[in-house]
Amino acid sequence: MNSRTFVCIVCPNGCTIETQYEGDKILSVTGNKCKKGIEYVRQELIDPRRTISSTVRIEGAELPLCSVRLTNVIPKKDIFRVMEEINKIKLTAPVSIGQVVIKNVCGLDSDVIVTKNMG
Ligand code: SF4
């Protein structure tokens, strides 16, 4: 049996959740104020997912960097691979919020989009 502590990020309460588990089977959960915390722990144990916010180079704008983010969370294990793709991006101004820079990055059902208007 294993023990692990999670901080639930589903809502601003940020409950500290103590969990005992074996493999992907949850044996006990304490500290969560609602059931969403159990789902969060289950997801973290089975298939942890994260999003990415970053910056990429841009030419022809007042600033040298433009902010981007993913439209969907991706498996935590793929973050390095996706960051390599994001680091290859070089934009040319103008760009606008929501503009897709990489569609379906690494085949993970998430797009890289611009989060700032830059003329
Ligand atoms: S367990 Fe429930 S109340 Fe606590 S942070 Fe998660 S979602 Fe919010």
Side-chain angles (χ1 to χ4, degrees):
M1 184 175 62
N2 299 300
S3 299
R4 200 164 144 193
T5 303
F6 295 89
V7 176
C8 181
I9 59 169
V10 175
C11 88
N13 281 332
C15 297
T16 300
I17 305 177
E18 305 289 345
T19 309
Q20 293 188 322
Y21 64 97
E22 217 160 298
D24 58 8
K25 188 176 179 198
I26 296 171
L27 304 175
S28 74
V29 174
T30 56
N32 54 306
K33 287 183 181 156
C34 78
K35 286 181 181 173
K36 288 180 187 171
I38 300 172
E39 283 313 306
Y40 174 75
V41 166
R42 182 169 287 126
Q43 181 79 42
E44 283 294 294
L45 286 174
I46 295 170
D47 180 23
R49 290 182 169 250
R50 297 289 183 273
T51 190
I52 296 175
S53 294
S54 187
T55 53
V56 299
R57 287 167 293 164
I58 184 167
E59 280 186 342
E62 280 184 24
L63 299 169
L65 295 172
C66 178
S67 56
V68 295
R69 71 168 172 84
L70 296 180
T71 53
N72 277 323
V73 290
I74 59 166
K76 196 175 170 184
K77 65 178 173 52
D78 291 313
I79 284 180
F80 185 73
R81 207 156 60 93
V82 170
M83 274 309 300
E84 280 185 333
E85 294 305 310
I86 289 174
N87 288 337
K88 289 178 194 169
I89 298 169
K90 195 169 187 180
L91 298 173
T92 302
V95 295
S96 52
I97 292 174
Q99 185 175 323
V100 176
V101 181
I102 303 177
K103 183 92 181 149
N104 195 21
V105 62
C106 297
L108 296 170
D109 198 26
S110 184
D111 300 337
V112 180
I113 61 167
V114 168
T115 61
K116 187 176 184 182
N117 291 324
M118 293 185 82

